[in-house]
């Protein structure tokens, strides 16, 4: 393993723990223990790897999670949003929200972009679609339903990319993963490439955006991963052997195991603009009118067909959001 990869792996564990426990205790002692670092040095190590202080990161992702909950669950009370994202109460949350987004939480209509955010990118850099536009778009795709079902347990071998947009980092890491698969003699048709967006580019500063690109190795047959594998004419079993940490050390890859979860999915075949509309539709129309809200897990783009087959201009994806019932 490269010397600094140990640090990145351990900080990644801390980042994932924070994202999944926003309503819990996220003290220096607890988080340094998750990463197996000394609490006397963890602040500097965390900032060195992520570019943010620990306290700034926790506050930012709590606010971004709160904004997501408000957008996707418009009937949820601000007090409940505050408590579910780790704030002590409405007063603390309201101060933090106004400081970050330059408006009060109660004044936001929960639909329009947070354009006056102190951290938001220029509005012209971001797409925005009216509700009517999204409804017309979905009507044109009437034969493609939004499904609520499950993914089965899988091992995820991935590379985490910071500031992934507007450069070749994501494509470069993708090709490195494909080369690693070939080296271990795994047929790409028997596994599933998944991209996971850990942040909302409409809210998170571009330099803080993170995107994981990796390979899902199913640990159980069936589920949406099994559907994708079978769509390629492959059998659902036997399952591919799971990679060990030792296989991932040299190429600098990380490992994360996902337990079975409920998800909603929408099958997208189109260009980036089409995929972007799908995400807007799911978050701004489907979820707010449903009995579900996003779980504390990242959104997922599961590749049905790969760029080697259809190129990088058109995408064949299952856009997925892990959800919990309200």
């Amino acid at each position: 393993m490269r010397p600094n990869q140990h640090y990145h792996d351990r900080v990644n564990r801390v980042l994932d723990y924070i994202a999944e426990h926003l309503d819990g205790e996220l003290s220096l002692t607890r988080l340094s223990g998750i990463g197996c670092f000394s609490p006397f040095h963890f602040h500097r190590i965390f900032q060195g790897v992520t570019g943010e202080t620990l306290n700034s990161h926790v506050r930012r992702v709590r606010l971004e999670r709160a904004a997501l909950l408000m957008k996707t669950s418009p009937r949820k009370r601000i007090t409940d949003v505050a408590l579910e994202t780790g704030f002590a109460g409405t007063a603390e949350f309201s101060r933090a929200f106004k400081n970050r987004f330059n408006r009060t939480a109660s004044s936001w209509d929960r639909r329009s972009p947070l354009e006056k955010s102190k951290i938001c990118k220029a509005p012209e850099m971001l797409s925005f679609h009216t509700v009517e536009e999204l409804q017309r778009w979905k009507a044109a795709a009437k034969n493609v339903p939004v499904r609520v079902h499950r993914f089965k347990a899988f091992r995820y071998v991935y590379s985490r990319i910071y500031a992934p947009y507007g450069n070749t980092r994501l494509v470069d890491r993708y090709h490195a993963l494909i080369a690693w698969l070939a080296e271990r003699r795994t047929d790409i048709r028997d596994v599933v490439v998944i991209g996971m967006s850990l942040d909302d580019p409409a809210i998170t500063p571009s330099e803080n955006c993170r995107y994981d690109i990796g390979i899902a190795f199913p640990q159980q047959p069936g589920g949406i991963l099994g559907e994708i594998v079978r769509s390629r004419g492959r059998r659902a079993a036997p399952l591919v052997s799971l990679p060990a940490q030792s296989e991932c050390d040299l190429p600098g890859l990380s490992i994360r195991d996902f337990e079975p979860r409920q998800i909603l999915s929408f099958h997208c075949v189109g260009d980036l603009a089409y995929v972007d509309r799908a995400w807007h539709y799911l978050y701004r129309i489907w979820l707010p009118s449903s009995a579900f809200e996003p779980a504390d897990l990242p959104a997922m783009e599961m590749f049905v067909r790969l760029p080697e087959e259809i190129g990088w201009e058109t995408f064949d994806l299952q856009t997925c959001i892990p959800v919990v019932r309200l």
Side-chain angles (χ1 to χ4, degrees):
M1 179 181 284
R2 294 174 298 184
N4 67 344
Q5 188 60 34
H6 279 295
Y7 276 45
H8 283 79
D9 283 344
R10 289 151 66 189
V11 170
N12 280 343
R13 287 203 300 270
V14 174
L15 292 170
D16 294 338
Y17 181 88
I18 290 171
E20 295 177 26
H21 298 85
L22 290 176
D23 60 344
E25 179 199 352
L26 298 177
S27 64
L28 172 63
T29 300
R30 179 176 291 274
L31 295 178
S32 60
I34 295 294
C36 300
F37 288 108
S38 163
F40 297 105
H41 308 286
F42 183 53
H43 272 305
R44 289 187 175 90
I45 292 170
F46 185 92
Q47 185 170 9
V49 172
T50 67
E52 290 183 281
T53 67
L54 180 61
N55 289 338
S56 294
H57 176 81
V58 170
R59 177 59 61 93
R60 177 174 66 79
V61 295
R62 277 177 163 159
L63 283 168
E64 290 169 4
R65 170 70 179 170
L68 176 63
L69 284 177
M70 291 173 69
K71 181 167 64 175
T72 57
S73 302
R75 294 180 294 276
K76 189 181 285 288
R77 297 187 310 160
I78 289 178
T79 300
D80 294 333
V81 170
L83 296 177
E84 288 179 29
T85 51
F87 290 92
T90 306
E92 181 191 5
F93 171 68
S94 298
R95 287 193 300 269
F97 192 96
K98 189 174 191 305
N99 183 59
R100 176 54 61 95
F101 298 118
N102 202 30
R103 66 191 307 168
T104 63
S106 58
S107 69
W108 183 36
D109 64 9
R110 306 196 184 194
R111 294 189 304 273
S112 59
L114 288 165
E115 291 181 349
K116 300 199 179 292
S117 162
K118 296 177 181 177
I119 63 169
C120 189
K121 294 173 284 299
E124 62 270 15
M125 297 177 63
L126 300 169
S127 59
F128 182 73
H129 312 281
T130 66
V131 170
E132 292 74 17
E133 288 172 340
L134 293 173
Q135 289 171 334
R136 288 196 298 270
W137 171 85
K138 182 59 176 68
K142 59 185 177 182
N143 293 327
V144 184
V146 177
R147 301 166 59 203
V148 178
H149 50 137
R150 296 183 71 81
F151 64 66
K152 299 296 185 69
F154 65 90
R155 174 160 293 178
Y156 188 55
V157 177
Y158 69 97
S159 181
R160 179 159 292 170
I161 308 161
Y162 287 83
Y165 308 115
N167 54 63
T168 65
R169 292 172 192 160
L170 198 158
V171 175
D172 292 344
R173 300 287 181 87
Y174 169 83
H175 287 305
L177 277 166
I178 298 303
W180 172 79
L181 271 183
E183 186 176 338
R184 81 184 299 267
R185 299 182 179 179
T186 297
D187 193 315
I188 186 63
R189 295 173 295 176
D190 294 330
V191 293
V192 179
V193 175
I194 301 181
M196 300 190 188
S197 180
L198 281 70
D199 303 287
D200 181 353
I203 298 175
T204 306
S206 58
E207 66 273 15
N208 295 135
C209 282
R210 298 159 295 159
Y211 192 92
D212 292 346
I213 185 73
I215 310 292
F217 292 79
Q219 298 186 38
Q220 300 170 323
I224 190 170
L225 297 180
E227 290 180 12
I228 293 173
V229 170
R230 288 194 300 274
S231 74
R232 302 165 179 165
R234 309 295 284 181
R235 295 180 302 167
L239 299 174
V240 175
S241 63
L242 298 180
Q245 183 63 58
S246 57
E247 294 182 66
C248 303
D249 287 348
L250 186 60
L253 301 172
S254 299
I255 288 180
R256 183 179 180 185
D257 288 326
F258 283 82
E259 297 299 320
R261 291 299 296 258
Q262 193 168 41
I263 59 167
L264 68 86
S265 69
F266 181 80
H267 188 190
C268 290
V269 181
D271 59 12
L272 282 176
Y274 187 93
V275 175
D276 180 64
R277 286 186 179 90
W279 286 122
H280 277 271
Y281 174 80
L282 292 175
Y283 278 112
R284 293 175 50 208
I285 295 181
W286 196 92
L287 274 170
S289 62
S290 75
F292 299 91
E293 68 181 20
D296 289 330
L297 287 173
M300 303 179 183
E301 295 175 330
M302 300 185 179
F303 286 68
V304 179
R305 288 182 292 169
L306 296 171
E308 285 82 354
E309 183 180 353
I310 60 175
W312 288 97
E313 299 300 320
T314 299
F315 296 87
D316 186 349
L317 306 170
Q318 287 282 359
T319 51
C320 304
I321 303 175
V323 293
V324 294
R325 187 172 287 277
L326 289 169

